[in-house]
Amino acid sequence: MERGRGRWGSVSRGMLPLLALHTVSEYCRLERKPPVTAGLLAANTIIYLRPSFLDPFLPTITEVWFNSHLILKYKDLKRFFLSALYHVNESHLVYNMLSLLWKGIQLETSMGSAEFASTVAALVAMSQGITLLLAKSLLLFFDYERPYYKEYAVGFSGVLFAMKVILNAQSDEYTYVHGLLVPTRYAAWAELILIQMFVPGVSFLGHLGGILAGLLFLRLKASYSGANPLGNIIRGLTHALNWPLRFVKCLFRSQPRISGRGTVGGRQTRNTSQLWRCEACTFDNSGWLSVCEMCGTSRTDDGLLSLSSTDEIQDLSLEELRRRRIQRFGR
């Protein structure tokens, strides 16, 4: 999250095309395209670009700044939830989205899209809630009204810190954080301190709330062995939304082709209810045909044979069948 109340949507630095190019290249190399990650990237970018046709629907950034004082005083849930999707400037957006691209692909690929969507929703609520609780606690116990309780912050970085904790929780390796080699499982803590030291205008409580949300999520997940109820709800909604598409596919599904193409003299393995075998040449014809497609012999009641009981016909030679046909039909 980033603090401040500067001008939102400053002059473009040309970083968005780089974000788009990097995103496309990453998705092109993936066999399975993670849809939730793509949706989050698109939502954050569209909100930042704010096309004119969305003006009536999207609140401005001044209406959604995360501010503990305003949220608690006016019960402003809009600030509580939407502030995570807004960004101060282009560099803020691009940095967060590149981080989301890598973390989202890793988590969604391993969890599945429904589980990942429910995880993101839970992390947004938990990180924002913990940040709010920390700000209120500092006010009550240490009288820190500023800069924490009344600071303004927006951005997806709190959720990204939570994702980093989840990704690195079980790792025993080491990684570099801004040039510093640290154990991977503590990389989020190292990044929290280094960003606070060298990057001005960031929200310390927002990032800390994200780390604590990731730890809490792992603890709750380890203690709860049942299915994720939020994930089940999202899977159910996805199934319901896909129903019209499945219905249309059923309507336009190609019908079975009516044809007399079959096997000559061979044992039939397909469904016999729509086929009849010619007594003359043993060709398997469609039930819709009244004459044999192969030799032109008319269909008779004797031709309605169950293919499971035609072994003696299969054993007859073609010459014998022709002789029987001449005797029967006089030709």
Side-chain angles (χ1 to χ4, degrees):
M1 301 182 92
E2 188 160 330
R3 294 185 296 143
R5 299 192 66 169
R7 183 174 178 266
W8 181 42
S10 56
V11 178
S12 173
R13 301 178 182 177
M15 299 177 68
L16 286 178
L18 295 178
L19 172 63
L21 180 62
H22 190 71
T23 303
V24 170
S25 64
E26 284 293 317
Y27 267 75
C28 286
R29 71 177 182 82
L30 294 174
E31 182 178 353
R32 178 182 177 274
K33 321 298 183 185
V36 178
T37 301
L40 288 171
L41 289 167
N44 281 269
T45 304
I46 290 174
I47 288 175
Y48 175 77
L49 293 175
R50 196 180 180 85
S52 57
F53 68 89
L54 290 179
D55 272 337
F57 310 103
L58 285 178
T60 63
I61 194 170
T62 57
E63 298 175 302
V64 299
W65 284 107
F66 185 91
N67 180 277
S68 302
H69 170 68
L70 296 177
I71 291 173
L72 294 175
K73 182 178 180 179
Y74 299 106
K75 307 296 186 296
D76 194 346
L77 295 180
K78 179 171 75 274
R79 294 181 182 272
F80 185 87
F81 289 107
L82 295 183
S83 58
L85 301 176
Y86 282 68
H87 293 81
V88 175
N89 51 45
E90 190 171 323
S91 59
H92 184 207
L93 171 73
V94 172
Y95 181 84
N96 279 351
M97 292 304 99
L98 288 176
S99 181
L100 171 62
L101 178 64
W102 185 84
K103 295 179 177 68
I105 288 174
Q106 301 298 316
L107 287 174
E108 187 171 356
T109 302
S110 61
M111 290 182 173
S113 296
E115 187 72 19
F116 177 67
S118 65
T119 298
V120 171
L123 292 179
V124 170
M126 291 167 64
S127 61
Q128 301 286 72
I130 292 175
T131 302
L132 187 66
L133 182 61
L134 289 173
K136 186 64 175 180
S137 299
L138 288 174
L139 175 67
L140 293 177
F141 296 109
F142 302 99
D143 198 25
Y144 278 179
E145 185 173 358
R146 290 184 179 276
Y148 300 118
Y149 187 63
K150 289 190 175 181
E151 79 171 4
Y152 292 82
V154 288
F156 207 72
S157 53
V159 182
L160 295 174
F161 268 92
M163 289 183 181
K164 182 185 285 288
V165 171
I166 295 172
L167 275 172
N168 299 335
Q170 305 300 324
S171 177
D172 293 326
E173 300 177 352
Y174 284 78
T175 188
Y176 283 96
V177 179
H178 300 288
L180 182 65
L181 185 64
V182 297
T184 302
R185 65 176 61 186
Y186 301 120
W189 293 101
E191 187 172 353
L192 170 70
I193 297 172
L194 292 174
I195 288 180
Q196 193 65 31
M197 291 173 59
F198 298 109
V199 181
V202 297
S203 173
F204 175 76
L205 285 189
H207 293 172
L208 177 61
I211 293 176
L212 296 179
L215 294 174
L216 179 60
F217 178 86
L218 291 173
R219 180 63 61 89
L220 293 175
K221 189 174 181 180
S223 61
Y224 179 69
S225 57
N228 186 341
L230 186 57
N232 290 337
I233 293 174
I234 293 177
R235 275 188 287 270
L237 290 175
T238 303
H239 184 77
L241 292 174
N242 285 336
W243 181 85
L245 181 60
R246 295 195 302 271
F247 179 73
V248 172
K249 286 183 177 179
C250 289
L251 289 179
F252 292 96
R253 184 176 297 167
S254 58
Q255 298 297 325
R257 184 168 60 93
I258 300 173
S259 173
R261 299 293 184 264
T263 57
V264 178
R267 190 176 296 273
Q268 179 59 255
T269 59
R270 293 177 298 176
N271 183 6
T272 63
S273 61
Q274 297 180 351
L275 298 176
W276 61 277
R277 176 164 291 173
C278 177
E279 290 185 346
C281 65
T282 72
F283 185 74
D284 299 333
N285 294 276
S286 168
W288 295 88
L289 300 176
S290 59
V291 296
C292 177
E293 187 178 12
M294 180 64 68
C295 66
T297 302
S298 298
R299 175 179 175 179
T300 64
D301 292 339
D302 293 337
L304 299 177
L305 298 174
S306 172
L307 295 182
S308 61
S309 61
T310 57
D311 292 342
E312 64 176 76
I313 292 179
Q314 294 174 11
D315 293 335
L316 295 175
S317 67
L318 185 59
E319 291 296 329
E320 178 66 13
L321 288 172
R322 288 176 178 171
R323 185 182 64 79
R324 291 188 180 186
R325 185 185 66 179
I326 293 173
Q327 291 176 353
R328 181 168 185 173
F329 297 100
R331 55 173 178 164

